[in-house]
Amino acid sequence: MSTIVTMPQKGLTEESAVIAQWYVEVGDTVKKGDLLFATEIGKATFDVESEANGTVLELFAEAGDDVAIKTPVCVIGTPGESYERLTAGAAQQRDKVALVDSVTATPVQIRTSDSAVEDVFISPRARAAAEHRGIDFTNAIPTGAEGRIIERDIDTLAAKRPAPKATTAEASPAEEDADFTIVPNSGIRKVIAKNMHDSIANMAQLSMTAYFDATEILAFREKVKKKGAEMGYGNISINDMILYAVSRTILDHPLLNAHYSDKEMKLFKHVNLGVATDTERGLMVPTLMRGDTKSLNQISLEAKELSAACRENRISPQALSGGTITISNLGNTGISSFTPVINPPQTALVGVCGIEWKVRPGKDGTPELYQAIGLSLTIDHRAVDGAPAARFLNDLCRRLENFTLLLAK
């Protein structure tokens, strides 16, 4: 008996997911546990395994397609076996998409002669597809409801369009001779691009930088390296200590531990730390929930596990949401300052810079060197003014400079 594989629901709110990659083709033999395809939901990627033994009889979607949750994506069974009855839902889903696309069509007036004007109805999806491909949609044969042009009509027109003939002067160089490589944007890159553009476009962002004396946290880290295991500590990093300090400081400055909208501010009673993580697929920000209730050791272990889950493509969509403030650490790159971009709808982001040697007057008046770390704070100026943001940054620096006292609270 054939088995229909549907798009699984990995999160609580998503309505669809993108097929990032197929691991099988029609005709392949699979067993339970074999990988069928990878799916992307926002920045999270999941591998979907086969729950049946058999042959892949049909694929209903291609890599890059955005497929509705619980819609059939492929069928596994015995060659020659009939499965049309089981896949009726796939056809209904495609018809439903076409119907919605058709119903939302808008009229466009075109001139058919010097005096005659005719209304052509085309759906938004079809119009976008035509513009993207450089196709004159007025040549499409409408198949949508009441004579509307829908997306599949553009696909049909594109398939019939002859390939342009390249002249000697117009011919493109062979790919191996070109001085560039075209790399299609991945799903996660598109999500990052949209989020970053929306953040800059919709916020009044302001950044400021302050330095703190890192002598104490560097000394504490050395102690943990040498004797931390005896006291139950794991591998405590500088970033762990900054996460801890932020979680103990931000609640004194509630406007920075908040979500902003045009109608209201949502001020949080706990600190959900966004931990910006660099991965091969792009920037991901998992959330360490209720950091203000956790010890330094707990924060360290949880932050490392979240980052590892991102890099290994096993993070859940839920773990990538809910943050109230984000920490982005570029210290290992050696930069001295940068302008972090806020993760909406949060109102602030703390950027951690590299360790630098600085000079200050010593006790006897002679110059002395010390190691300092810069913190670059970006705020949404719609929600927070410069002075309260500066007070938070100063408080954070002072607590990091007296880290052992902060631990004793």
Side-chain angles (χ1 to χ4, degrees):
M1 181 177 177
S2 297
T3 299
I4 302 301
V5 180
T6 61
M7 178 61 74
Q9 184 165 24
K10 293 293 186 179
L12 299 177
T13 60
E14 79 278 358
E15 297 178 352
S16 65
V18 174
I19 293 183
Q21 176 185 359
W22 279 104
Y23 298 122
V24 296
E25 298 178 352
V26 173
D28 286 355
T29 299
V30 296
K31 297 179 181 178
K32 289 183 180 180
D34 287 352
L35 297 181
L36 297 176
F37 61 93
T39 178
E40 286 185 354
I41 302 173
K43 294 184 180 181
T45 299
F46 302 92
D47 286 331
V48 177
E49 299 178 352
S50 175
E51 297 181 359
N53 301 325
T55 301
V56 179
L57 302 180
E58 187 174 353
L59 306 181
F60 299 118
E62 299 178 357
D65 286 353
D66 195 355
V67 180
I69 298 301
K70 298 183 180 178
T71 297
V73 292
C74 69
V75 58
I76 297 171
T78 304
E81 183 179 20
S82 175
Y83 53 84
E84 284 75 11
R85 178 179 59 83
L86 298 174
T87 59
Q92 291 173 0
Q93 177 66 21
R94 289 193 292 268
D95 292 343
K96 181 179 178 182
V97 171
L99 177 61
V100 171
D101 199 29
S102 176
V103 169
T104 57
T106 53
V108 178
Q109 289 190 331
I110 62 170
R111 187 172 296 278
T112 58
S113 67
D114 289 341
S115 58
V117 175
E118 179 181 334
D119 281 344
V120 174
F121 287 83
I122 180 169
S123 75
R125 288 165 60 98
R127 179 195 286 273
E131 291 176 351
H132 177 71
R133 300 182 185 187
I135 294 174
D136 182 0
F137 63 80
T138 61
N139 294 323
I141 299 174
T143 63
E146 299 181 359
R148 290 168 169 83
I149 297 171
I150 58 178
E151 190 174 13
R152 68 184 176 207
D153 302 328
I154 301 300
D155 293 338
T156 301
L157 183 61
K160 293 180 179 179
R161 186 173 59 169
K165 295 180 179 180
T167 64
T168 303
E170 297 173 338
S172 301
E175 185 175 344
E176 59 268 19
D177 296 329
D179 59 357
F180 58 85
T181 300
I182 296 177
V183 180
N185 288 332
S186 64
I188 188 174
R189 178 49 54 192
K190 292 176 182 177
V191 171
I192 293 171
K194 182 180 185 304
N195 289 348
M196 294 300 98
H197 179 269
D198 289 349
S199 176
I200 293 293
N202 297 324
M203 289 187 183
Q205 299 197 16
L206 169 69
S207 295
M208 57 187 73
T209 298
Y211 290 87
F212 70 90
D213 184 344
T215 302
E216 185 157 329
I217 66 169
L218 291 175
F220 180 82
R221 187 163 184 259
E222 286 303 312
K223 286 183 180 179
V224 171
K225 282 183 178 180
K226 293 178 180 178
K227 297 186 177 181
E230 299 175 10
M231 302 177 65
Y233 276 110
N235 180 22
I236 304 297
S237 68
I238 291 174
N239 199 58
D240 297 333
M241 288 185 271
I242 292 175
L243 288 169
Y244 180 87
V246 169
S247 74
R248 267 54 182 181
T249 306
I250 196 71
L251 289 178
D252 294 335
H253 306 269
L255 294 180
L256 285 85
N257 188 55
H259 287 175
Y260 177 88
S261 71
D262 290 337
K263 292 178 59 178
E264 61 188 13
M265 288 273 287
K266 185 181 291 184
L267 308 180
F268 290 88
K269 297 178 181 179
H270 292 283
V271 186
N272 301 332
L273 299 163
V275 184
T277 302
D278 180 33
T279 76
E280 292 183 354
R281 299 171 57 239
L283 176 66
M284 305 182 80
V285 187
T287 305
L288 196 160
M289 303 298 290
R290 295 193 170 210
D292 57 302
T293 67
K294 296 176 179 177
S295 68
L296 173 61
N297 213 33
Q298 288 173 316
I299 286 176
S300 176
L301 293 171
E302 192 168 331
K304 289 177 175 61
E305 168 55 26
L306 287 168
S307 294
C310 288
R311 295 189 179 101
E312 296 166 9
N313 293 336
R314 53 182 175 83
I315 194 75
S316 69
Q318 295 94 321
L320 294 171
S321 62
T324 58
I325 185 170
T326 294
I327 290 79
S328 178
N329 193 333
L330 295 181
N332 60 358
T333 67
I335 65 163
S336 58
S337 178
F338 67 109
T339 306
V341 178
I342 298 174
N343 191 13
Q346 297 171 25
T347 60
L349 189 152
V350 176
V352 183
C353 307
I355 301 173
E356 297 184 37
W357 285 99
K358 290 189 172 293
V359 180
R360 65 186 172 195
K363 292 181 180 179
D364 59 357
T366 59
E368 70 174 14
L369 289 172
Y370 73 101
Q371 289 180 291
I373 293 177
L375 299 178
S376 294
L377 172 69
T378 297
I379 60 167
D380 183 351
H381 215 324
R382 299 174 304 168
V384 189
D385 292 332
R391 286 193 286 271
F392 160 70
L393 191 56
N394 285 331
D395 283 353
L396 181 59
C397 287
R398 299 296 81 78
R399 295 186 186 196
L400 285 164
E401 288 177 340
N402 298 278
F403 190 73
T404 53
L405 292 178
L406 180 63
L407 281 176
K409 289 184 66 176

